[in-house]
Amino acid sequence: GFSPVICLLLVQRGITTAEEARKFFKPSLNDLHDPFLMPDMDKAVKRLNRALGNKEKILIYGDYDVDGVCAIAIVFLALKKAGAHINYYIPDRHQEGYGLNETAMKAVAGKYDLLISVDCGISSYKEVELGKSLGMDIVITDHHSLPERLPDCVCVDPKRPGEQPYSELCGAGVAFKLVSALFGLEEGMEYIDLAAIATIADIVPLTGENRQIVREGLKRINSSPRAGLAALAQAAGVKTNGLSASDIAFTLAPRLNAAGRLES
């Protein structure tokens, strides 16, 4: 049912069957993969459930870019809603740099029982060893390429080899999958707008699950935007009843990124 020109363009994008074309043009939540196919997801959920049951103090450690901030918000809001004793930590771009660092680990150790990283940590085996030696359990959730040596802890990363069929999620996409695994897809969908913003801003391929996340997230933003997002859009001079991926990429995301570049 497609014209030869459209078929040629689809094939050039690696889409070679009618079913793949359907998923490209009309992505559906039914096409999302089981989050438990991701390596260590079952271990992460088990550890988080234990922390919730025992009223442990939890720290979400993230990054200062759009992806990191949205990933923190997804996990923080979901766990807070579940009654967790929770806080978050964003390192200073200029003083601390990206990812887990020794100064931060020493500062938060003793205050928290469990540290969950989002959008960082997969290369931080030394910092993980330090945190563990200071009495913290650590769960890493990340999406970056794998180092030669993984940290000695639970590591959820779609790029790890296993049954996970899609490896191009951003950090907030992994956070969305974590919340969906922990509380179910219905609860995960409460944060699909944040996952979509991060997916667009982090310039990951808009294929597969990323395409589904962005499609559903844009629908949520345009139908019932969060108060903060609506205020940001108003300040940026764009309307949230017709917001596109381009509006997020070139208008909202740079403003969210600017916070970490200008100040703490």
Side-chain angles (χ1 to χ4, degrees), residues 11-28:
V11 169
Q12 288 175 343
R13 288 169 179 253
I15 298 166
T16 58
T17 69
E19 178 62 15
E20 289 173 348
R22 179 198 66 76
K23 290 181 179 180
F24 182 82
F25 285 116
K26 292 185 178 181
S28 164

Side-chain angles (χ1 to χ4, degrees), residues 77 89 211 235 249:
L77 291 170
Y89 186 97
R211 198 170 178 83

Side-chain angles (χ1 to χ4, degrees), residues 12-257:
Q12 288 175 343
R13 288 169 179 253
I15 298 166
T16 58
T17 69
E19 178 62 15
E20 289 173 348
R22 179 198 66 76
K23 290 181 179 180
F24 182 82
F25 285 116
K26 292 185 178 181
S28 164
L29 288 176
N30 295 327
D31 298 327
L32 290 174
H33 305 300
D34 182 350
F36 285 100
L37 294 176
M38 212 176 294
D40 274 7
M41 183 64 84
D42 57 337
K43 296 177 183 177
V45 167
K46 185 177 180 180
R47 183 63 188 88
L48 276 165
N49 275 325
R50 195 171 93 214
L52 288 169
N54 293 337
K55 303 293 183 182
E56 296 179 27
K57 294 180 180 178
I58 304 171
L59 181 71
I60 313 297
Y61 190 113
D63 190 21
Y64 34 67
D65 68 357
V66 177
D67 190 17
V69 171
C70 287
I72 290 171
I74 290 169
V75 180
F76 180 92
L77 291 170
L79 291 179
K80 187 77 171 177
K81 185 177 177 181
H85 296 273
I86 192 166
N87 204 348
Y88 65 89
Y89 186 97
I90 301 175
D92 185 288
R93 175 189 288 266
H94 307 291
Q95 303 298 323
E96 299 175 82
Y98 168 78
L100 303 179
N101 67 81
E102 182 179 332
T103 302
M105 299 303 275
K106 289 180 177 178
V108 303
K111 299 177 182 177
Y112 300 96
D113 306 297
L114 174 63
L115 182 148
I116 306 169
S117 80
V118 293
D119 192 31
C120 65
I122 201 66
S123 299
S124 302
Y125 70 90
K126 290 182 179 179
E127 290 78 9
V128 167
E129 287 179 358
L130 174 61
K132 289 171 64 179
S133 73
L134 296 172
M136 282 191 302
D137 269 1
I138 297 174
V139 171
I140 299 292
T141 74
D142 201 350
H143 71 112
H144 292 99
S145 298
L146 305 178
E148 290 185 9
R149 178 179 176 181
L150 288 178
D152 183 21
C153 66
V154 174
C155 291
V156 179
D157 189 317
K159 288 187 170 60
R160 289 187 65 187
E163 297 182 36
Q164 159 70 7
Y166 189 72
S167 63
E168 299 299 327
L169 294 166
C170 68
V174 178
F176 162 72
K177 301 286 276 191
L178 174 66
V179 170
S180 298
L182 191 60
F183 301 116
L185 180 58
E186 184 176 351
E187 178 62 19
M189 287 300 295
E190 292 295 313
Y191 316 100
I192 193 71
D193 53 339
L194 299 174
I197 290 168
T199 299
I200 294 165
D202 221 47
I203 322 179
V204 288
L206 292 187
T207 58
E209 285 190 298
N210 286 342
R211 198 170 178 83
Q212 293 145 17
I213 288 170
V214 170
R215 177 185 172 93
E216 293 300 321
L218 284 173
K219 285 163 61 176
R220 175 68 60 85
I221 292 167
N222 284 311
S223 62
S224 54
R226 294 174 189 272
L229 185 60
L232 181 63
Q234 183 178 11
V238 293
K239 296 180 179 180
T240 53
N241 61 355
L243 205 67
S244 68
S246 293
D247 291 325
I248 291 172
F250 298 109
T251 306
L252 300 188
R255 285 167 166 79
L256 292 170
N257 267 326

